[in-house]
Amino acid sequence: VILQRSRFCFFCIFRDLFELKDGRPDVGLLTALVIGSIGYLVLFGNWIPDPSTGYLPQDAYIGPVSWHLPAGGLLFGWGMALSGSCISAHLYRLGEGSLEAPFALAGTVAGFMLGFETWNSLYVATISSSSVIWLPELGGYTLWAIIQIAVLLGLMAWLLIRFGGNGSNYSSVNPSFFSIWQRIFVHRWPTWVGGIGVGMLSFFTYLRVEPLGVTAEIGRYSRELGTNLNVIPARLEGLDGLAGCSTAVSSNLLTTNGIFVLVLIAGSLFTALLSDHFRFRIPSLLKAVKSILGGILLGFGAMISLGCTIGTTLSGISAFAVSGWVFTVAMVVGVLSGIHWGWRN
């Protein structure tokens, strides 16, 4: 519901900044990161009072840092530019009736299998010897809380001053039941409202279940399919011991992440029907091909980065992981370069 109502799509957020010079959607993303960071700090401070002991927060998306990470982020950004969305947005757009999303998600599965096929070589060459860097371990919670939140707030202020947009999307109306209904279920929410919702969801999901992410189940099914087709190695060195979107084979029909993804699509469908945003849009052959190729880049980039914009960026940066920042910077470069080259036009 939050993603669909606020159009919380990472590609759209960066495209609006680059093409429309509107920084408000990016402020929504930064809001999610600020709220997520504060929430994670509360949890970490209770779970690991002294971060210098060498223990990492359980299940947090704190991954190894090496050249594979900016490579994965760059490829993922190019995949967003080609397919028109990140993986999470393709999922919520399924609920809006998008017929491009299935092509992109099919390409994502192929990209994951390609990532699994090359994983062992990549792991031996770089990941096995890479360092896992958790910022609070280097200087304590207070130092890095001040630095990270100051950076995020500074970026918000710069965006609002430089690319503030044209003010509120809503005109002043009487607070009748009908107008409130329209604001919630018909009009799009401002992205900062979605940012607040996503940030709180990130915190509460980690508290009760696991860090927020959407690629674990897609990766798991891609891994099982690739294994059954004998196109990926039966043994993937070190993969299941790394933090990130887990793709370990399970005997369950659906994992917790799988249920989360299905209900995400259902929530989007519910609000898309209420707001009359549900439309079957038949893509052109060119857009279908771009969606498949973009999906391959999304899947490969997410696989070698152990997550996507929700897992590695949102959950990773909120957890004060250097891996989250490295992936995100490379991903932004990939998105903006792809937009500049007109890949989605």
Side-chain angles (χ1 to χ4, degrees), residues 48-344:
I48 306 178
D50 182 2
S52 65
T53 57
Y55 293 100
L56 294 178
Q58 184 176 4
D59 297 329
Y61 284 13
I62 306 170
V65 178
S66 184
W67 62 263
H68 76 283
L69 202 54
L74 186 66
L75 292 172
F76 194 91
W78 285 342
M80 290 167 64
L82 265 177
S83 68
S85 292
C86 58
I87 295 174
S88 59
H90 281 305
L91 290 171
Y92 88 69
R93 282 176 177 162
L94 279 179
E96 293 182 331
S98 169
L99 297 179
E100 288 185 49
F103 290 102
L105 292 172
T108 299
V109 171
F112 261 96
M113 287 196 289
L114 180 61
F116 289 131
E117 198 278 329
T118 59
W119 173 260
N120 286 341
S121 298
L122 184 64
Y123 181 80
V124 171
T126 181
I127 297 176
S128 61
S129 57
S130 301
S131 298
V132 175
I133 307 174
W134 184 41
L135 292 173
E137 194 173 22
L138 304 179
Y141 292 121
T142 302
L143 173 65
W144 288 106
I146 292 172
I147 293 175
Q148 178 158 301
I149 293 174
V151 168
L152 294 171
L153 292 176
L155 287 171
M156 290 171 62
W158 176 76
L159 286 167
L160 288 173
I161 294 170
R162 181 69 177 82
F163 307 102
N166 300 314
S168 173
N169 294 328
Y170 296 131
S171 59
S172 177
V173 296
N174 295 325
S176 64
F177 173 81
F178 179 69
S179 67
I180 294 173
W181 173 272
Q182 282 193 315
R183 290 190 180 195
I184 296 175
F185 294 112
V186 178
H187 299 300
R188 291 285 192 183
W189 299 350
T191 312
W192 63 265
V193 174
I196 293 174
V198 170
M200 294 179 65
L201 185 66
S202 171
F203 163 66
F204 286 118
T205 301
Y206 184 33
L207 173 65
R208 299 302 305 162
V209 189
E210 60 187 16
L212 201 60
V214 298
T215 61
E217 192 74 354
I218 297 174
R220 182 174 77 93
Y221 276 109
S222 302
R223 183 172 176 177
E224 292 181 357
L225 177 61
T227 301
N228 292 334
L229 294 175
N230 293 318
V231 295
I232 67 173
R235 177 182 174 86
L236 296 170
E237 301 293 340
L239 177 60
D240 296 332
L242 296 174
C245 284
S246 173
T247 60
V249 176
S250 172
S251 59
N252 296 328
L253 179 63
L254 282 174
T255 63
T256 302
N257 186 259
I259 296 170
F260 175 84
V261 167
L262 290 179
V263 181
L264 183 157
I265 297 169
S268 174
L269 172 63
F270 172 73
T271 53
L273 290 171
L274 282 179
S275 61
D276 198 30
H277 284 146
F278 183 87
R279 295 284 189 279
F280 284 124
R281 304 174 184 86
I282 300 176
S284 65
L285 177 60
L286 178 60
K287 283 196 172 183
V289 171
K290 284 184 175 182
S291 294
I292 293 172
L293 294 176
I296 292 173
L297 293 176
L298 289 174
F300 186 83
M303 193 276 129
I304 66 173
S305 302
L306 303 175
C308 63
T309 45
I310 297 294
T312 306
T313 291
L314 183 64
S315 296
I317 290 179
S318 296
F320 295 84
V322 171
S323 56
W325 282 103
V326 172
F327 172 85
T328 301
V329 170
M331 178 265 294
V332 172
V333 171
V335 172
L336 296 184
S337 60
I339 293 173
H340 177 72
W341 295 327
W343 285 0
R344 193 59 190 165

Side-chain angles (χ1 to χ4, degrees), residues 32-47:
L33 292 172
V34 169
I35 292 176
S37 299
I38 294 171
Y40 270 57
L41 275 174
V42 173
L43 297 181
F44 291 165
N46 284 277
W47 293 347

